[in-house]
Amino acid sequence: MVIKPMIRSNICINAHPVGCAKETERQIAYVKAQKAKRGIKGAKEGGAGPKTVLVLGCSTGYGLASRISAAFEYGADTIGVSFEHEATEKRAGTPGWYNNAAFDRAATAAGLRTITINGDAFSDEIRAKVIEDAKAWGAKFDLVVYSLASPVRTDPDTKVLYKSVIKPIGKPYGGASLDMMTGKISQMESEPASGDDVPNTVKVMGGEDWERWMKQLADAGVLAQGCRTVAYSYIGPALSHPIYRDGTIGAAKKDLEARAHNISSALSAIGGAAYVSVNKGLITRSSAVIPIIALYLGVLFKVMKKKGTHEGCIEQMERLFAERLFTGENAAAGTVPLDSEGRIRIDDLELAPEIQAEVDKIMPSVTEENVAELADLEGIRHDFLATNGFDVEGVDYSKDIADMSKID
């Protein structure tokens, strides 16, 4: 079977096995190069960085990039959790399934211990499995990365299923929406949240589950002295605040940030801490479907690439690890630079005043006729396709894929 991308409204509903693996390998190669450039020594090389890392939501985007950074820059053994559709010979898997397979293959070849658990990270059953695996290794986590993004969550106690929504709060929000594949621009309007939209979204995307994870890991005795945990958030430009930062998702992210303080207090007994890292806006499987974001990112990428400051997922996470989390001697966990609200800001390059001023100047001028000129349409299209294994350098897309479960 020759696999071509199947796209519906900025959602790609299939994946290319070889392309996903190649893209994962590209990120690994980048991290290895940065390791050599920075002169970082992993724990097994006499360094003081993380030895064992848990990544919740490990299969795509920032979670995958975090796991790659931990393993291939710091030599950490990793356990990753994600919920994927497994591939069979005749049926394709999700992009994350192929990414995980490529990561596991590369980590094993590098002599690193790796366990990838395919299951619902919101469930206590998966928490118990992670604890069991850590104890079987005789290891304790010195870093826990929380990078879960899901539209639904079942509360482990009540068994009630909650659904998240992307809506403004208080009043409708309208703006331009870009179809990345066609370049078509349409006006969209989203009605404000109603009923239980806000609390339900907080229940899914807030920090309750993160806090539960850290408590159960601590109670089980699988957190190392000085263990740190980091979860990811986004603030973005003022133009997107009504639909994001001040909307239902923003309410959930604010809950996430508030709970970081609770987790830090609980971890203080072992000298640990919890952080929220505010990251740069990128084209991921999650962000591609948020209205206005695709057009904004297209313009942002154009401006940042011109300035030489653009970063993708792997560049962001490598910098987060090397310049925020592990800044001490020998790559130890040094002092973490924080903003006035106690957050890590790795979105500093995106929100630099000169960058945002240029984006604000361009945005009102974008039309369907000039979008390819004023925005990095080619770049965001590539990023969108690459998250599903398409448009990846070195892949022959005319080649027949006889077995959908193989990544080479």
Side-chain angles (χ1 to χ4, degrees), residues 18 39-40 106 123 181 183 188 219 243 274-275 290 366-367 378:
V18 179
I40 290 175
S123 70
M181 300 309 296
M188 59 74 61
D219 290 347
I243 192 68
Y275 301 100
I290 301 175
V366 179
T367 65
E378 182 178 340

Side-chain angles (χ1 to χ4, degrees), residues 44 51-54 67 76-80 103-104 107 112-116 129-141 222:
K44 297 171 184 175
K51 301 179 183 68
T52 308
V53 175
L54 171 63
R67 195 180 189 191
D77 298 325
T78 63
I79 295 179
F103 174 90
D104 285 338
L112 302 173
R113 292 190 297 184
T114 176
I115 295 174
T116 300
K129 178 71 170 77
V130 167
I131 291 167
E132 177 187 347
D133 287 340
K135 289 183 174 180
W137 273 1
K140 294 186 177 184
F141 299 115
V222 294

Side-chain angles (χ1 to χ4, degrees), residues 23 34 63 82 103 111 155 164 172 190 195-196 212 219 246 347 360:
E23 178 61 15
Q34 287 297 102
S82 64
F103 174 90
D155 186 294
S164 65
S190 177
D196 292 330
R212 191 181 185 101
D219 290 347
D246 296 332
D347 63 341
D360 288 344

Side-chain angles (χ1 to χ4, degrees), residues 271-347:
Y275 301 100
V276 169
S277 175
V278 181
N279 301 338
K280 174 178 179 284
L282 295 170
I283 295 293
T284 64
R285 287 172 61 80
S286 301
S287 68
V289 298
I290 301 175
I292 199 66
I293 294 295
L295 182 59
Y296 161 72
L297 291 178
V299 174
L300 176 72
F301 287 13
K302 185 85 168 184
V303 172
M304 294 189 74
K305 286 180 180 180
K306 184 177 179 181
K307 297 281 188 181
T309 59
H310 175 69
E311 295 173 319
C313 279
I314 194 62
E315 291 85 3
Q316 277 267 287
M317 293 300 95
E318 191 279 332
R319 187 160 68 93
L320 171 66
F321 275 57
E323 298 182 11
R324 299 294 191 273
L325 293 175
F326 301 103
T327 58
E329 186 177 354
N330 253 348
T335 301
V336 179
L338 303 173
D339 69 6
S340 61
E341 296 186 41
R343 302 171 299 202
I344 297 172
R345 301 303 295 268
I346 206 74
D347 63 341

Side-chain angles (χ1 to χ4, degrees), residues 237-239 296 299 303 353 355-365:
L239 68 90
Y296 161 72
V299 174
V303 172
I355 294 292
Q356 286 299 309
E358 185 68 16
V359 171
D360 288 344
K361 179 181 175 182
I362 295 171
M363 283 290 288
S365 305

